[in-house]
Amino acid sequence: MFSFWQLPGPARWLGGLAEDLAQGRSLALAMPARPPDGWLDALRQALRDRASLEVERMSANGDAPLAQLASRFAGADAANLPALVVAPAFAGQCVAILDVPGEHWAAWCALLTQFEVATRGCSLFARPRLLVAGGAVALSSPPAPQPGLIAHRWNGAAAPLDLRLYAAILFEEAAGPPWQRQLAAAVSAELALWDPELCEFCRRLTLADLLDPLVPLQNWAAERCWSAEDPAMNEAAAWHLGCRHECDGQPREHAAWLALRGDQASLAQRVWSAQVGVLFPLLERHRQSLIGRWPRRLTVPYTTPSGQRIEDRRDLELAHIAAQWRGLTDMRREREFAVWLRDLRNCLAHGEPVAADVLQSPMWQERFGRPEQ
């Protein structure tokens, strides 16, 4: 089964973690409250592939960091950090301490800095490594970088292009005509941006719900106990909850966060952006098909209502085609189709998403997905 961590951006980010650990560095990691599923298992596999290292997981239990590590790996024999890093049970270990609470982050940060100094004399084979992961505080207060200590964050690693690929795979076997699957995948990716969990949620929605996603996304946000009125929602806290993230170098807001605030306009903009990429090529193919199929029923030169003179049939737009067929009884059906296409095109050209009931008109569903060549 295809994994999110096989996508280019996530795989590159994960590979960076694995490479640093393989080279003997310890890591301070800022992670959101709900990171994409399977990240630690994927890191373990990447580390096995690079250095045959295993990752042991621990959770911060509130004890002093040194005491917690010594209790696990050295017992009473490690009264200080230099003694711990050379303890036989700790040699060559790679230990992940996850979900460090904000109030304990400073203590773990201090340990990481001291740990980096204490392990400089260890050989690469014997050197223990730490991966310490925290939340919002880890994002805003990482430790100072050292030769053997690197700070990473899950922010900006998954690009919209990654989610487009992920959505295309998720929707590959979805029901409906191919153009509807392509549109559903495009809208899902545009809504999700960086969040595979939201993309998977969108896979379960109907196309109508995807094109008007306000209520489904509000429900999604409610399940995660998000609150648009939270007074503590600063930038780091919003990132930690998953409400904000960096995409292609720009800060972006989660679609469910927009829905929770009732920002219908921003959601419509994302739906429109996805529709343009899928529908405009189809509309152009149909325009060319109508011109190629009915050359003798299209007159040139043609003067538009605005006074533009068109000499070449290939330059006729859908509105021109529909206008020329007005009143022609034998072209009534073709004109109705051209008018429908024209209305879709005009809606998109004015920056407005096409409503589901218009787009899914039963009269034209089969024909729209198969423009004649």
Side-chain angles (χ1 to χ4, degrees), residues 30-31 33 70 80 96-97 137 144 153 212 309 314 329 350 359:
M31 294 294 284
N80 53 51
I97 300 94
V137 178
R153 59 180 185 167
D212 186 15
R309 183 178 173 85
R314 294 172 297 180
T329 305
H350 287 89
L359 188 59

Side-chain angles (χ1 to χ4, degrees), residues 70-89:
S71 174
R72 170 64 183 82
F73 293 102
D77 296 333
N80 53 51
L81 196 55
L84 172 64
V85 299
V86 296

Side-chain angles (χ1 to χ4, degrees), residues 250-274:
Q250 299 294 323
R252 301 293 300 273
E253 292 186 294
H254 198 285
W257 181 244
L258 296 174
L260 194 62
R261 301 203 322 266
D263 192 348
Q264 182 79 304
S266 293
L267 291 176
Q269 179 71 18
R270 293 192 187 184
V271 172
W272 170 82
S273 181

Side-chain angles (χ1 to χ4, degrees), residues 28 55 72 103 119 218 300 318 330:
V55 178
R72 170 64 183 82
E103 61 269 23
T119 56
Q218 287 175 336
V300 286
L318 291 166
D330 61 329

Side-chain angles (χ1 to χ4, degrees), residues 250-372:
Q250 299 294 323
R252 301 293 300 273
E253 292 186 294
H254 198 285
W257 181 244
L258 296 174
L260 194 62
R261 301 203 322 266
D263 192 348
Q264 182 79 304
S266 293
L267 291 176
Q269 179 71 18
R270 293 192 187 184
V271 172
W272 170 82
S273 181
Q275 286 185 340
V276 166
V278 175
L279 299 181
F280 254 134
L282 266 176
L283 292 170
E284 175 58 18
R285 288 172 62 193
H286 277 293
R287 185 189 72 84
Q288 295 177 14
S289 173
L290 290 173
I291 293 170
R293 187 178 183 184
W294 303 105
R296 296 184 180 181
R297 306 309 301 270
L298 293 168
T299 302
V300 286
Y302 172 73
T303 301
T304 70
S306 63
Q308 177 190 5
R309 183 178 173 85
I310 297 175
E311 303 283 350
D312 191 329
R313 283 187 186 86
R314 294 172 297 180
D315 294 331
L316 292 170
E317 298 293 344
L318 291 166
H320 307 150
I321 295 170
Q324 288 204 27
W325 290 344
R326 185 182 294 114
L328 300 182
T329 305
D330 61 329
M331 298 300 291
R332 181 181 61 83
R333 181 76 172 177
E334 290 297 284
R335 182 178 185 275
E336 289 175 351
F337 184 55
V339 167
W340 184 73
L341 295 174
R342 178 202 66 191
D343 292 345
L344 296 186
R345 191 262 179 205
N346 287 348
C347 189
L348 293 172
H350 287 89
E352 300 173 1
V354 180
D357 59 339
V358 175
L359 188 59
Q360 294 183 289
S361 169
M363 187 178 299
W364 309 118
Q365 288 304 287
E366 183 175 354
R367 183 172 179 181
F368 186 56
R370 299 178 181 177
E372 295 87 352

Side-chain angles (χ1 to χ4, degrees), residues 153-160 192-194 235 239 243-254 270:
R153 59 180 185 167
W154 176 250
N155 195 22
L193 289 181
W194 69 85
E235 184 175 343
W239 164 83
C243 302
R244 295 177 189 159
H245 203 81
E246 185 179 298
C247 284
D248 288 343
Q250 299 294 323
R252 301 293 300 273
E253 292 186 294
H254 198 285
R270 293 192 187 184

Side-chain angles (χ1 to χ4, degrees), residues 90-135:
F90 203 30
Q93 290 283 350
C94 183
V95 182
I97 300 94
L98 306 184
D99 304 319
V100 175
E103 61 269 23
H104 298 151
W105 179 252
W108 279 99
C109 247
L111 175 85
L112 279 170
T113 301
Q114 299 162 9
F115 187 83
E116 191 273 340
V117 175
T119 56
R120 287 179 184 176
C122 300
S123 69
L124 183 61
F125 177 78
R127 184 181 305 159
R129 292 95 159 157
L130 296 179
L131 184 158
V132 181

